[in-house]
Amino acid sequence: MDAVTLTTQVMTILTPVLPYLTSAGTAIAGKIGEDTYQQAKKLYETIRTRFAKEPDDGKASKALQAFVDDPDLSGSIEIKLQRLIQSDPHFANTLHQIILTGPRQSLTADEDAEVRRIRMTNTAGSGDQDIKGGKRSKIEDVEMNIKHE
């Protein structure tokens, strides 16, 4: 998975849950979904730990805390996160594995298979959807959505 896509997925999962990770905690988890809350919490802790290792006199950690306090400050976090994902394959893989623990919808069309009119909808607000086609397979009219309800 490329750095831009992974960064976008991480921010999409993390941003709506961020206000609850450091304040109200698990009391709010029921409202947003325990799985979504736990996934966002793992992402946040992984990012916080990695940012703390940066040799920048704590600037990355301070930027992350500022983002927690004000999610409108996401721009600098996205840039830093994307750079670290590009330069640290282990970190990137860890984030990817956490994302894969969310709801996953997958369709595989083997050789010569024809797949039409597929609708995948995930209302958990996070997760992963993919379609894979084998040799000479035909995949048409597919709609995939991940949204908050």
Side-chain angles (χ1 to χ4, degrees):
M1 178 178 295
D2 69 280
V4 173
T5 302
L6 183 55
T7 300
T8 301
Q9 286 184 338
V10 168
M11 295 302 288
T12 299
I13 294 167
L14 194 57
T15 302
V17 180
L18 202 57
Y20 309 115
L21 292 177
T22 57
S23 59
T26 55
I28 302 298
K31 291 184 179 181
I32 59 175
E34 182 66 28
D35 292 341
T36 301
Y37 174 79
Q38 290 301 326
Q39 183 182 40
K41 186 175 177 181
K42 285 180 188 176
L43 284 171
Y44 173 75
E45 289 300 323
T46 301
I47 293 167
R48 187 181 61 76
T49 299
R50 181 59 181 87
F51 277 25
K53 294 178 182 178
E54 284 299 286
D56 62 0
D57 295 324
K59 289 180 185 176
S61 294
K62 288 176 187 172
L64 183 61
Q65 186 56 50
F67 173 52
V68 169
D69 295 337
D70 184 358
D72 289 340
L73 302 175
S74 64
S76 61
I77 296 302
E78 286 186 58
I79 293 167
K80 182 68 174 177
L81 189 57
Q82 187 173 336
R83 287 180 185 157
L84 287 174
I85 287 169
Q86 288 172 333
S87 66
D88 186 345
H90 177 71
F91 177 61
N93 186 52
T94 300
L95 294 175
H96 188 243
Q97 291 305 311
I98 293 169
I99 288 172
L100 290 178
T101 63
R104 180 167 174 77
Q105 295 172 305
S106 180
L107 171 74
T108 302
D110 287 329
E111 290 184 30
D112 297 312
E114 293 186 21
V115 178
R116 293 186 181 93
R117 300 181 64 196
I118 301 297
R119 306 293 178 259
M120 290 185 187
T121 302
N122 166 348
T123 59
S126 65
D128 189 43
Q129 296 172 318
D130 67 61
I131 297 175
K132 296 177 185 170
K135 293 179 184 176
R136 299 176 306 277
S137 63
K138 294 180 184 179
I139 302 171
E140 300 172 350
D141 190 20
V142 176
E143 183 179 310
M144 299 167 65
N145 296 299
I146 296 179
K147 59 186 177 181
H148 293 280
E149 283 291 313

